[in-house]
Amino acid sequence: YAGKILVYPLANDLLSAALKTFGLSFNLAFSFPQIIFISAFMILFYKISRFFTSEKGAAISLLILLLGWGLGWIFFVKEFLGQDLSFWQFLKIDYTNNELLNLRFHNILTGLILPERSLLPGLVLGLFLVLYQMDFIRGGRLRSILVSAIILGMLPFWHTHTFIFFAVFSLICFAYYFYLNRNLWTFVRSAFLFCLISGVLAFPFFYLFMTEHVADSFIRLKLGWTDEMNNLLLFWFKNSFLIVPIALIGFFKLKNHKSIYFIPAFAVFIIANLVIFQPWAWDNINLITWSCIFFSNI
């Protein structure tokens, strides 16, 4: 790709390239950042889960997230019991992303984190942004606005879908802050600073992206994500089992205004089933995964 304009999220590969240049072996430069990112993600996920649930609830949320969702396990058990093959042979079959069974929702660990290098730093930066947006809503601190804006502006270079999710997340948080305080000047000042800083930082990426791609080849309407032919409710029952209805129940039981942080998750989940943001429709899984990260915490 020598001479090509860089439009794919490049920061994680650039980090590994820099580590290689500074003397690390190729394998270590490739894997060391991912080890740091997965450790940071686990810590941040647990910290945020503790805010919404108990210590036990945070552990359960992490298990739900890592073990996955959907009815793939039923097909695994059915085929395992019906065929004379070893358990280890069945582990080679992916029952969370099987087109023949209309299962398209990968397990986040084996289907997304391991093969997709750009997702992990996106997860870490996204959870940091959640913490600072929560701090902003509680106290309206300028520092929280500045850090949140810097994180959001950097996100397109790390993981574009995380940027899309947290652009919606930030919009809803700002609207909620205004609803709580009704201070127009503080709201306008904070929103202006946030948009200015994040916009300036993200501008180079989107300028290169828009000059190299035709927008309508990326963003288009499509009902049902990857399955527009069958019943959408049945599709999501098979792919997420009860996580969505349970999340809805939990949403209405949350107290102390905590439910506001989950509105973006439901909003993006609906949007991702109506609008495709890239040529390959399946890539919307990155947005849906963020929704389910929040769903697993309710």
Side-chain angles (χ1 to χ4, degrees):
Y1 294 99
K4 297 289 185 181
I5 294 178
L6 298 174
V7 293
Y8 187 81
L10 55 94
N12 202 20
D13 289 331
L14 181 62
L15 174 60
S16 291
L19 293 175
K20 177 69 173 66
T21 301
F22 289 136
L24 268 66
S25 68
F26 177 83
N27 287 337
L28 193 57
F30 188 87
S31 60
F32 180 70
Q34 301 302 92
I35 294 171
I36 299 299
F37 287 138
I38 189 67
S39 302
F41 170 68
M42 295 288 196
I43 294 169
L44 290 168
F45 181 87
Y46 181 79
K47 179 180 177 64
I48 292 172
S49 295
R50 286 285 286 108
F51 175 78
F52 295 110
T53 66
S54 62
E55 187 169 339
K56 181 180 178 181
I60 293 173
S61 296
L62 187 60
L63 283 176
I64 292 173
L65 181 68
L66 296 182
L67 293 179
W69 29 68
L71 298 180
W73 61 275
I74 292 180
F75 297 99
F76 167 78
V77 172
K78 180 180 178 181
E79 293 189 12
F80 175 66
L81 295 177
Q83 299 185 32
D84 188 21
L85 296 174
S86 71
F87 176 79
W88 299 107
Q89 288 177 290
F90 271 94
L91 285 184
K92 299 177 182 178
I93 305 173
D94 190 349
Y95 285 93
T96 62
N97 185 37
N98 190 315
E99 290 189 45
L100 296 177
L101 300 174
N102 203 20
L103 296 171
R104 302 305 309 272
F105 199 23
H106 265 313
N107 173 284
I108 187 175
L109 184 61
T110 60
L112 292 170
I113 288 177
L114 290 179
E116 187 174 338
R117 278 174 50 78
S118 63
L119 176 61
L120 255 182
L123 293 175
V124 174
L125 290 171
L127 292 183
F128 267 122
L129 197 148
V130 171
L131 289 176
Y132 280 100
Q133 287 284 14
M134 290 165 62
D135 185 65
F136 167 68
I137 288 178
R138 288 196 296 265
R141 296 179 180 87
L142 181 62
R143 181 194 65 177
S144 300
I145 288 294
L146 297 177
V147 176
S148 298
I150 291 171
I151 293 174
L152 185 66
M154 293 191 305
L155 271 173
F157 297 95
W158 292 92
H159 194 245
T160 312
H161 288 89
T162 299
F163 171 84
I164 295 172
F165 181 90
F166 281 100
V168 176
F169 183 91
S170 299
L171 176 65
I172 292 175
C173 285
F174 271 101
Y176 184 65
Y177 176 80
F178 178 70
Y179 168 77
L180 288 177
N181 297 277
R182 303 299 172 93
N183 187 321
L184 182 60
W185 164 244
T186 302
F187 170 75
V188 171
R189 182 195 63 180
S190 301
F192 175 77
L193 280 175
F194 183 83
C195 293
L196 177 65
I197 295 171
S198 59
V200 168
L201 291 174
F203 176 77
F205 177 87
F206 286 105
Y207 174 77
L208 291 174
F209 183 88
M210 296 304 295
T211 55
E212 287 296 304
H213 294 90
V214 179
D216 60 6
S217 67
F218 277 74
I219 302 176
R220 63 192 187 280
L221 295 176
K222 182 180 179 182
L223 176 64
W225 184 32
T226 61
D227 183 17
E228 56 187 347
M229 303 301 295
N230 299 301
N231 185 292
L232 187 60
L233 294 178
L234 178 60
F235 171 80
W236 276 113
F237 177 72
K238 290 177 65 176
N239 279 271
S240 66
F241 194 29
L242 298 176
I243 189 172
V244 178
I246 290 176
L248 280 169
I249 295 171
F251 174 79
F252 289 108
K253 288 187 174 182
L254 283 171
K255 299 178 181 179
N256 302 323
H257 304 285
K258 292 180 180 179
S259 59
I260 186 61
Y261 301 107
F262 295 91
I263 291 177
F266 287 104
V268 171
F269 183 80
I270 294 171
I271 292 170
N273 278 278
L274 299 174
V275 182
I276 303 300
F277 290 90
Q278 59 285 309
W280 190 25
W282 185 82
D283 270 348
N284 264 25
I285 193 174
N286 292 282
L287 294 172
I288 297 169
T289 293
W290 266 114
S291 293
C292 286
I293 287 173
F294 279 82
F295 292 165
S296 64
N297 277 290
I298 301 182

